[in-house]
Amino acid sequence: AAKEAGKASWARFEPRMRQDMVNHAMLAGELRAGIARGELRLLYQPIYDLVTGRLHGAEALVRWQHPERGFVSPADFIPVAERTGLIVPLGAWVLREACAQLARWHATYGDRTVESVNVNVAVRQLREVGFVDEVAAVLSETGLRPRNLIIEVTESSVVDGWQVRETLRALHEMGVPLALDDFGTGQSSLSLLRAFPVDVLKLDKSFVDGIAEGADRGRLAVAAAVAQLAEHLQLKAVAEGIENQEQLNRLRDMGYRYGQGFFMSRPVPADDYAALMAADPVRA
Ligand code: C2E
Ligand code: MG
Ligand code: MG
Ligand code: MG
C-alpha cells in the first residue's frame, strides 16, 4: 500500500517536478552565462546608528539584471546558485567587489565615515576548503583590515558541521567579525551561541514586522529577548527591515543600537551610498 501511495504521489508531482527541474536547469545555465557577461551588480543598504542617527555601515546585496527577464530577485537565484555550486564563483565576485568598493570609499572619504561593509556568505562557500585563504587574499589585495569586513551567515550555517565551524573560527581569529543573519528564525541553541565567536546579531525582519502591528506579543517578546541576549553577551544588535518610525523608536528603546530598513533607505547603488557618506559628518 505504501508503495502504491508512493507511486501515486510520484505520478501526481511528476509534471510539476519536471517543470521545476527545467526552470532550475535553465536558470542555472543563464546565471552561469550572466556572471560571465557581467550582469551582476551590488547594491548597498545603509545601516544606521539608531541612537545618533548617523550612517554606520552598509550591507552589500547582489542584483541580477537579466537582458530579457529583467530584474531577477536574489530570493530566486541565490537558492539555485547554492544548489548548483554557482554560489562559489558568485560569492567570490561579491566578496571582491564589496571589499574593492569599501577601499575606494575609504580612499575618498576616509575610514571614519563608514568603517565596514557586510557581505552575505552562503554555507556552501564556507564548506570550500580555500575560503579562509580567499578572504585573506581579498583583504590584502584591497588593503582592508579584517575588521572592515563583516561576514553575515545564517544560524543554520553555524550548526552545519565542524568544518564550517572551524572556518568561522579561523575567520574570527583572523579578526573578521561574524554576524548571525535572520536571527531568531533558525534553530541554533543558546549554548552554541555562547560557545561560538559571534560578534553581531541581526534580528530577522519578521520580528520587526510584529512591532508595527502592535498586537503581536510573541514576536515583540522575541525582539526584546534578542536585544537582552546581545547585551549580556556583549554583541552588536542590529534590527533589519525597519519600515516606520514607531518600529525604529521601539527597537532603539529595546536596545537595538543599529538598524536598517526601507524607512531609512532601500538598498542603493554605490554612487548613491557615497552621496550619503559625503553628507554624513565625520565622527569625532
Ligand atoms: P538578507 O541578508 O537578510 O538581506 C536583507 C533583505 O531584506 C534584502 O533583500 C533587503 O533588501 C531586504 N530589506 C531590507 N530592509 C527592508 C524593509 O524595510 N522592508 C522589506 N520588505 N525588505 C527589506 P534582498 O536584497 O532581496 O536579499 C534577499 C536575501 O538574498 C538576503 O537576505 C540574503 O539572504 C540573500 N542575498 C542577497 N545578496 C546576497 C549575496 O551577495 N550572497 C548571498 N549568499 N546571499 C545574498
Ligand atoms: Mg544579510
Ligand atoms: Mg537578514
Ligand atoms: Mg533576511
Side-chain angles (χ1 to χ4, degrees):
K3 205 176 169 190
E4 280 304 307
K7 221 170 166 184
S9 62
W10 170 253
R12 191 147 38 88
F13 287 117
E14 193 181 23
R16 173 74 202 279
M17 277 181 62
R18 196 186 290 135
Q19 194 52 49
D20 282 353
M21 269 156 58
V22 168
N23 288 341
H24 181 279
M26 220 167 74
L27 199 62
E30 288 181 30
L31 182 56
R32 187 173 286 116
I35 294 171
R37 285 195 300 257
E39 290 166 11
L40 298 183
R41 293 272 176 286
L42 286 186
L43 295 185
Y44 297 86
Q45 186 173 35
I47 300 171
Y48 285 92
D49 181 324
L50 300 183
V51 174
T52 64
R54 282 189 171 160
L55 197 58
H56 174 72
E59 177 174 6
L61 294 159
V62 71
R63 296 290 180 264
W64 179 19
Q65 194 63 43
H66 187 279
E68 287 108 39
R69 287 173 190 250
F71 169 76
V72 188
S73 167
D76 294 325
F77 70 84
I78 290 290
V80 172
E82 289 201 48
R83 284 198 296 272
T84 54
L86 273 174
I87 193 72
V88 173
L90 188 158
W93 178 83
V94 168
L95 180 68
R96 224 177 214 89
E97 177 65 20
C99 288
Q101 183 60 70
L102 182 66
R104 288 194 289 270
W105 283 333
H106 281 181
T108 312
Y109 304 99
D111 64 0
R112 287 193 303 165
T113 309
V114 167
E115 192 183 37
S116 55
V117 66
N118 289 36
V119 172
N120 292 286
V121 171
V123 65
R124 184 72 176 68
Q125 293 173 267
L126 299 171
R127 287 198 204 113
E128 289 288 302
V129 175
F131 186 71
V132 176
D133 292 339
E134 181 186 325
V135 171
V138 169
L139 291 175
S140 103
E141 280 164 29
T142 52
L144 293 180
R145 280 166 295 191
R147 69 160 187 269
N148 299 141
L149 169 67
I150 298 174
I151 287 190
E152 295 197 5
V153 298
T154 57
E155 287 171 89
S156 50
S157 319
V158 181
V159 296
D160 183 78
W162 67 269
Q163 275 173 306
V164 165
R165 282 214 287 276
E166 280 314 303
T167 295
L168 293 174
R169 226 181 282 282
L171 289 169
H172 180 83
E173 264 161 38
M174 198 195 275
V176 175
L178 299 177
L180 277 190
D181 204 356
D182 303 337
F183 192 75
T185 57
Q187 75 287 59
S188 85
S189 75
L190 297 182
S191 60
L192 185 65
L193 194 60
R194 210 191 72 234
F196 200 75
V198 167
D199 304 275
V200 183
L201 293 185
K202 294 190 78 174
L203 178 71
D204 190 65
K205 182 184 186 305
S206 57
F207 302 105
V208 173
D209 291 341
I211 292 172
E213 293 143 30
D216 191 336
R217 286 181 167 276
R219 284 187 286 180
L220 208 66
V222 172
V226 169
Q228 292 272 303
L229 188 65
E231 196 195 323
H232 290 307
L233 297 175
Q234 292 178 288
L235 310 178
K236 227 156 96 170
V238 183
E240 63 181 9
I242 300 174
E243 292 184 343
N244 58 55
Q245 184 76 60
E246 190 197 345
Q247 290 171 339
L248 191 158
N249 292 346
R250 295 188 70 169
L251 287 160
R252 186 193 52 219
D253 295 347
M254 272 179 200
Y256 289 90
R257 179 75 197 250
Y258 305 99
Q260 62 191 96
F262 293 177
F263 178 63
M264 293 87 101
S265 172
R266 283 180 181 263
V268 295
D271 286 350
D272 296 7
Y273 187 85
L276 292 173
M277 270 194 299
D280 197 67
V282 171
R283 277 180 225 130

